[in-house]
Amino acid sequence: MSDFLKHECGIAMIRLLKPLEYYKEKYGSAFYGVNKMYLMMEKQHNRGQDGAGFASIKLDTQPGHRYISRVRSVAQQPIQDIFAQINERINNEFKLHPEYLNDVSAQKKNIPYIGEVLLGHVRYGTFGKNSVESVHPFLRQNNWMHRNLIMAGNFNMTNVKELFDNLIQLGQHPKDYTDTITIMEKIGHFLDDAVSKIYKDLKKEGYNKQEASPLIAERLKVAKILKRAAKNWDGGYAMAGLIGHGDAFVLRDPAGIRPAYYYKDDEVVVIASERPVIQTVFNVKFEDVKELQPGQAIITKKSGEMRLKQILEPLEKKACSFERIYFSRGSDAEIYQERKMLGKLVMPKVLKAINNDTKNTVFSYIPNTAETSFYGMVKMADKFINQKKTEAILKGQRSISAEKVTEILSERARVEKIAIKDVKLRTFITEDSSRDDLVAHVYDITYGVVKPTDNLVIIDDSIVRGTTLKKSILKMLDRLNPKKIIVVSSAPQIRYPDCYGIDMANLEGLIAFQAALELLKDNNQYNIVEEVYKKCLDQTDLADKEVVNFVKEIYEPFTDEQISDKIAELLDDEGIKAEVKIIFQSVENLHKACPEHLGDWYFTGNYPTVGGNRVVNRAFINFYEGNKERAY
């Protein structure tokens, strides 16, 4: 994606089902779980590079010994930093106590981070400060083992204020106004309540406090706690939690917006944000990794028993399509095919734009995530060329010469690597004129492969703000002196802000929104903007379920092609000599390519939860009033 977007997070959880001695004997190390967690986090570094965190719990420790370990980092390479700290601590212990090397019991007792329940997290800071205090996992501490709670998640809540106010009504005093703290405290409240009730029952049965502790772990119903806590949540989430005595859970939102996958055998239970992470790290088959269903929780008890529980009634499944287009790793078998299909389905529009002149067209892509859709686009170009070859040969019948047949058969789609991202370049100067010049050189180009008579078709996975296109890519491509530059987006026009975990909180930054406003001005219809503003204001006191997305009216007077052409006009700098055209995928084709991931609110404004409409209306009010605050 040429316009860099921050995605919220990635989670990883491992529950070892055997004693640590088992892993030492079979795999050569009692740190098997820690090693696997490092790999799982590294394989999800695409989901977050602003910070990373790791936590572990040791089961059945004696009083007076630490059983929870946690480490977090906001270093430039936070995952490596975390595990460098862990390795240093472990190695220092071994240097001081060489007798621990072959004594797993002593390792577990005395060395931090080794444990049976492990939670990892990678973060992009889309909300809140990017300090180590903002990095997951978060820890809610208590002297009662069962009341300790460790939380990490991939989520954004649309109704944080409501949830925060609910905590205050419960008599709490939350230490921070963030959705993570709010969610953790809500779960913590019902966890405390459940533990207290179980203890009272055990006391009536004649057990003292010490005798009650293991029985509380057995009787604690995590599913019931989650049902009570999540009752009023509105947002997209995959929420992971560890309870001090060893119970663990991951809960997915009822619309299935954020992803979660799991795998279980007799050695481990594993959960991650992405399927291929589990496949690769644990060397298992595609079909062995299951998707956690919307509103469902996977709960692992201290005993090792795994349960799937329906916590919230599922809504219509609206799994995020951006996961498939851009954020998730393309090594997933399904995602790879979906991205190729996105490239194939947009090709008819490309052929129309080049007047079917494939002979004088060079095809390329903007690295790196658009590469797979590029393969699909080129495959369709070759199919079209082969049809032309067949028609030409049949038309020639017997009179066609061998030389002519060879000439016809030699035509191929002209594929070149045109744009090369200079990953080492940093725009370290903030003064606008200097910074713009540096931004313009973020990409290098390949000279000598494009002729002045050529069309240059270059595909990107999506166009959000258009900033990099305008300031860098189009100017660089124009240096190749093509006749026409056609930028293709494998995703539809992004018209609405996100509120479920992707860093698109404001409307005015979206190039499609800017284009619609310009079209309203051009057609003397800008009064619609004020009308929409008034309609949004009139809804500010309504319940979320009654709110309507009136921002759709901004786009209604225009066709997709009109908006695309206006986007091209806005991005076309006066210094660019080539004709510039922008082509977007249709929403219909997006659904064809990703039939199981129909979350398309970025493109259609059809938000999957009631809080979404409130957020988009607030974003429009902010735009109209010149307020730069986030809409949620």
Side-chain angles (χ1 to χ4, degrees):
M1 183 181 289
S2 54
D3 286 327
F4 180 64
L5 281 183
K6 290 186 174 183
H7 185 256
E8 182 66 5
C9 298
I11 58 171
M13 183 186 287
I14 298 173
R15 171 62 157 91
L16 301 178
L17 299 176
K18 303 282 189 183
L20 294 178
E21 287 81 2
Y22 172 91
Y23 304 96
K24 169 72 172 174
E25 183 177 340
K26 183 171 181 179
Y27 298 106
S29 173
F31 292 90
Y32 171 83
V34 177
N35 293 334
K36 291 294 187 184
M37 180 58 73
Y38 168 68
L39 291 172
M40 289 182 74
M41 291 174 68
E42 277 288 9
K43 295 294 181 184
Q44 293 187 106
H45 76 270
N46 54 297
R47 304 185 71 86
Q49 296 167 31
D50 285 346
F54 168 90
S56 64
I57 289 178
K58 304 173 189 281
L59 300 181
D60 300 316
T61 57
Q62 293 299 309
H65 293 273
R66 293 182 68 88
Y67 57 94
I68 293 175
S69 300
R70 181 181 62 155
V71 57
R72 298 179 293 174
S73 174
V74 289
Q76 190 170 6
Q77 295 182 310
I79 300 171
Q80 292 91 324
D81 182 51
I82 280 172
F83 286 93
Q85 291 183 52
I86 291 172
N87 285 335
E88 184 179 10
R89 182 68 186 273
I90 291 169
N91 290 331
N92 284 341
E93 290 290 340
F94 282 147
K95 285 178 184 177
L96 292 171
H97 301 281
E99 69 273 16
Y100 292 172
L101 277 169
N102 293 304
D103 187 343
V104 175
S105 177
Q107 290 176 19
K108 179 177 174 179
K109 183 178 180 181
N110 298 293
I111 299 178
Y113 308 117
I114 187 172
E116 293 88 350
V117 195
L118 306 101
L119 178 61
H121 188 267
V122 291
R123 177 181 190 265
Y124 270 135
T126 66
F127 185 65
K129 298 175 182 177
N130 190 34
S131 62
V132 74
E133 288 79 15
S134 302
V135 177
H136 303 199
F138 280 35
L139 175 60
R140 187 179 193 264
Q141 292 181 287
N142 193 286
N143 272 346
W144 280 59
M145 181 179 281
H146 317 86
R147 292 183 178 181
N148 282 288
L149 180 63
I150 305 170
M151 290 285 301
N154 169 22
F155 65 96
N156 261 63
M157 295 296 175
T158 71
N159 61 336
V160 181
K161 185 179 185 304
E162 176 191 339
L163 298 174
F164 186 85
D165 291 343
N166 287 345
L167 287 177
I168 294 171
Q169 290 166 15
L170 290 170
Q172 291 195 19
H173 188 91
K175 63 182 181 181
D176 206 350
Y177 184 76
T178 64
D179 47 7
T180 309
I181 291 292
T182 304
I183 293 302
M184 183 173 70
E185 292 298 340
K186 191 73 177 286
I187 294 174
H189 169 79
F190 289 110
L191 174 63
D192 290 347
D193 189 52
V195 170
S196 295
K197 287 178 179 177
I198 295 170
Y199 171 65
K200 286 178 183 177
D201 291 341
L202 289 167
K203 190 176 179 181
K204 288 178 184 176
E205 294 172 27
Y207 295 97
N208 62 37
K209 290 181 180 180
Q210 189 173 354
E211 294 168 334
S213 187
L215 295 173
I216 291 172
E218 289 178 16
R219 297 189 187 185
L220 193 68
K221 296 179 179 178
V222 177
K224 187 175 181 180
I225 292 168
L226 294 176
K227 283 179 183 179
R228 296 178 73 190
K231 188 176 180 181
N232 297 316
W233 293 355
D234 188 280
Y237 49 88
M239 201 83 63
L242 312 180
I243 301 173
H245 62 272
D247 285 0
F249 65 86
V250 173
L251 171 63
R252 191 180 184 192
D253 68 86
I257 295 168
R258 299 270 73 92
Y261 295 88
Y262 67 92
Y263 165 76
K264 181 186 184 300
D265 59 23
D266 62 344
E267 293 183 351
V268 292
V269 177
V270 186
I271 303 105
S273 292
E274 300 194 25
R275 188 201 316 261
V277 172
I278 300 174
Q279 283 183 255
T280 300
V281 173
F282 290 89
N283 191 26
V284 295
K285 297 176 182 177
F286 175 91
E287 56 269 21
D288 292 333
V289 182
K290 310 297 182 185
E291 183 178 6
L292 190 64
Q293 295 304 306
Q296 198 175 62
I298 180 169
I299 298 167
T300 308
K301 292 292 292 176
K302 177 182 178 293
S303 63
E305 179 189 0
M306 189 200 84
R307 304 168 183 171
L308 292 171
K309 292 285 188 179
Q310 195 66 45
I311 304 301
L312 297 164
E313 185 177 343
L315 302 172
E316 182 182 359
K317 189 177 179 183
K318 292 291 184 179
C320 173
S321 55
F322 240 135
E323 293 279 351
R324 321 301 281 184
I325 296 167
Y326 173 59
F327 290 117
S328 294
R329 293 174 79 87
S331 55
D332 183 283
E334 288 181 344
I335 291 174
Y336 183 79
Q337 294 302 326
E338 289 168 7
R339 289 181 182 174
K340 278 182 72 175
M341 183 58 69
L342 287 167
K344 290 179 182 179
L345 292 174
V346 81
M347 192 58 191
K349 288 185 178 181
V350 175
L351 289 171
K352 183 180 177 182
I354 63 173
N355 295 318
N356 294 335
D357 184 10
T358 51
K359 187 174 288 188
N360 293 300
T361 300
V362 174
F363 296 92
S364 193
Y365 62 94
I366 297 172
N368 289 323
T369 52
E371 185 174 1
T372 307
S373 57
F374 166 72
Y375 293 145
M377 185 175 73
V378 170
K379 190 168 185 176
M380 289 303 288
D382 281 332
K383 182 178 180 180
F384 172 77
I385 290 168
N386 287 336
Q387 288 172 347
K388 285 202 305 181
K389 292 176 185 178
T390 303
E391 290 170 7
I393 291 170
L394 291 175
K395 189 176 180 181
Q397 297 181 346
R398 294 183 181 180
S399 62
I400 192 167
S401 67
E403 290 82 7
K404 185 64 177 175
V405 171
T406 302
E407 180 188 336
I408 292 169
L409 292 177
S410 67
E411 185 181 345
R412 296 282 189 278
R414 293 171 59 196
V415 172
E416 303 290 351
K417 187 163 186 177
I418 296 293
I420 304 151
K421 193 166 189 179
D422 190 343
V423 294
K424 295 180 181 178
L425 194 62
R426 295 287 182 267
T427 52
F428 55 88
I429 298 174
T430 57
E431 188 239 329
D432 285 347
S433 59
S434 299
R435 191 175 186 278
D436 285 355
D437 183 58
L438 289 168
V439 168
H441 293 84
V442 168
Y443 287 88
D444 285 336
I445 50 170
T446 304
Y447 292 94
V449 294
V450 178
K451 301 191 299 291
T453 53
D454 284 337
N455 303 302
L456 177 54
V457 173
I458 191 154
I459 191 167
D460 198 353
D461 43 41
S462 57
I463 301 169
V464 185
R465 304 179 186 103
T467 308
T468 311
L469 268 180
K470 185 178 179 72
K471 293 184 179 296
S472 176
I473 294 170
L474 287 174
K475 290 179 179 179
M476 296 290 283
L477 297 178
D478 193 55
R479 293 182 184 182
L480 299 175
N481 199 29
K483 175 179 67 177
K484 189 175 187 179
I485 300 170
I486 300 162
V487 180
V488 183
S489 169
S490 70
Q493 296 165 4
I494 297 169
R495 300 180 171 190
Y496 302 93
D498 182 59
C499 51
Y500 303 117
I502 295 172
D503 189 19
M504 293 193 299
N506 300 315
L507 266 169
E508 60 268 27
L510 305 178
I511 190 64
F513 183 72
Q514 296 169 27
L517 294 180
E518 290 301 315
L519 285 169
L520 289 173
K521 292 176 185 175
D522 294 345
N523 291 274
N524 296 317
Q525 293 178 286
Y526 203 76
N527 59 294
I528 292 174
V529 173
E530 186 173 357
E531 292 168 7
V532 170
Y533 170 66
K534 289 177 179 177
K535 289 177 180 179
C536 291
L537 276 183
D538 289 342
Q539 296 188 109
T540 50
D541 294 327
L542 296 181
D544 284 356
K545 63 182 178 180
E546 298 173 12
V547 177
V548 176
N549 180 2
F550 285 116
V551 181
K552 291 182 179 183
E553 294 181 11
I554 297 293
Y555 299 97
E556 282 175 0
F558 313 111
T559 65
D560 291 354
E561 190 167 357
Q562 284 176 305
I563 293 174
S564 295
D565 289 344
K566 180 55 74 171
I567 289 172
E569 187 182 316
L570 293 176
L571 297 181
D572 189 0
D573 191 274
E574 62 182 24
I576 295 174
K577 300 183 293 294
E579 179 187 348
V580 175
K581 185 168 181 63
I582 310 289
I583 292 174
F584 287 89
Q585 187 74 262
S586 69
V587 173
E588 180 184 4
N589 281 343
L590 172 67
H591 291 169
K592 285 180 183 177
C594 309
E596 300 300 317
H597 291 75
L598 302 177
D600 61 5
W601 57 92
Y602 318 94
F603 321 113
T604 64
N606 298 328
Y607 287 89
T609 76
V610 293
N613 287 338
R614 174 176 47 77
V615 169
V616 70
N617 281 1
R618 170 48 58 186
F620 191 84
I621 291 170
N622 287 348
F623 149 73
Y624 190 89
E625 295 178 351
N627 185 347
K628 299 301 180 183
E629 291 181 3
R630 297 177 68 90
Y632 58 93

